Amino acid sequence: MKTLLNLDNWNRKEHFLFFKQMQEPFFGVSINIDCTKAYAVSKALDTSFFIYYLHKTLLAVNTFESFRYRIDNTHIYIHDRIDASATIGRSDGTFGFSLIEFHPDYAVFEKNAMAEIERIQNTAGLLTRDFKEDNLIHFSSIPWLNFTSLSHARNMTIPDSCPKISFGKMTLSKKGKRKMPMSIHVHHGLMDALHVGQMADYFQEIMNQDTV
């Protein structure tokens, strides 16, 4: 489900029209996330840490309306739910684009994610399904690199307003703290650094929780 945003009553209408006309309307930031507690919780639950922090990411994304905006020509729609198209690696070194639906109940989400990961790992090719809707974040994990910045391959001729969120290599300090880099790229016509900061702060907060 999605609803049309009334641009005339939106205080960012001028910002939207300004950034929408740019060839590259996306901006990105890279931050460090403390994942000490989240990693411990995932191990205690005997669940995949990747699936665990993907769920936390989607929980944060769905909490903030600006991350649920998508552009369709001259209109902005607000989606009720945002899912993840995550890159899933295979044993032969390739990956495929998945579609993992968000569900607030972690047990339900974990079951759906594991089924989709298994499907991708047993399917050849990059595009293994049709993506009919844009209620997505483009999600990737880069566990080989402790990056400090990140860019994305993009075709500027194809309309795109989906946020892109990536995580890097988890590192362990001598004091036992676990951290990993997080990259967030968003359409500047839909939000500003203020909104990205609010989402990132909330994501860190729920990563620090003792339970799912």
Side-chain angles (χ1 to χ4, degrees):
M1 294 287 293
K2 59 184 179 181
T3 56
L4 182 66
L5 177 70
N6 188 331
L7 281 177
D8 291 332
N9 292 337
W10 192 33
N11 63 351
R12 292 194 72 262
K13 177 181 179 180
E14 186 176 346
H15 301 70
F16 167 67
L17 296 175
F18 178 79
F19 288 109
K20 184 179 181 295
Q21 64 185 339
M22 294 187 173
Q23 289 182 326
E24 173 52 297
F26 276 72
F27 74 94
V29 297
S30 291
I31 59 177
N32 276 312
I33 295 296
D34 186 330
C35 55
T36 310
K37 176 63 72 173
Y39 184 80
V41 171
S42 72
K43 296 301 106 177
L45 293 172
D46 193 26
T47 189
S48 161
F49 181 53
F50 169 76
I51 295 176
Y52 185 83
Y53 71 76
L54 173 57
H55 182 257
K56 294 293 188 184
T57 302
L58 284 172
L59 180 60
V61 163
N62 277 278
T63 299
F64 293 91
E65 185 175 289
S66 58
F67 276 81
R68 293 186 280 113
Y69 292 158
R70 297 296 181 269
I71 300 171
D72 184 0
N73 293 317
T74 59
H75 300 296
I76 297 175
Y77 286 91
I78 312 168
H79 286 275
D80 292 342
R81 189 190 75 211
I82 300 298
D83 302 322
S85 176
T87 55
I88 303 300
R90 303 187 181 97
S91 59
D92 65 357
T94 66
F95 66 86
F97 293 135
S98 68
L99 176 56
I100 302 175
E101 293 185 358
F102 173 67
H103 195 287
D105 186 318
Y106 181 73
V108 175
F109 178 81
E110 180 188 33
K111 182 179 179 180
N112 293 339
M114 290 178 66
E116 178 66 350
I117 289 171
E118 182 179 6
R119 187 189 71 82
I120 293 291
Q121 291 177 339
N122 290 281
T123 307
L126 180 64
L127 299 171
T128 65
R129 64 160 70 240
D130 291 330
F131 292 92
K132 298 179 180 180
E133 298 292 338
D134 61 355
N135 62 320
L136 300 169
I137 58 168
H138 297 152
F139 187 92
S140 57
S141 176
I142 311 172
W144 314 279
L145 298 172
N146 182 22
F147 61 74
T148 56
S149 65
L150 186 72
S151 63
H152 291 273
R154 287 205 338 113
N155 185 342
M156 302 299 184
T157 65
I158 297 178
D160 179 20
S161 57
C162 297
K164 302 164 199 324
I165 299 179
S166 304
F167 289 87
K169 182 178 182 179
M170 182 171 59
T171 57
L172 178 63
S173 73
K174 293 180 179 179
K175 295 182 178 180
K177 287 288 187 179
R178 296 181 182 272
K179 291 187 176 183
M180 60 183 178
M182 178 185 190
S183 170
I184 308 169
H185 283 74
V186 296
H187 195 296
H188 213 338
L190 299 180
M191 69 184 88
D192 305 313
L194 169 66
H195 307 100
V196 175
Q198 290 170 340
M199 190 280 285
D201 284 345
Y202 181 65
F203 175 71
Q204 180 64 81
E205 178 183 330
I206 59 179
M207 285 285 279
N208 290 339
Q209 292 177 347
D210 291 327
T211 62
V212 296

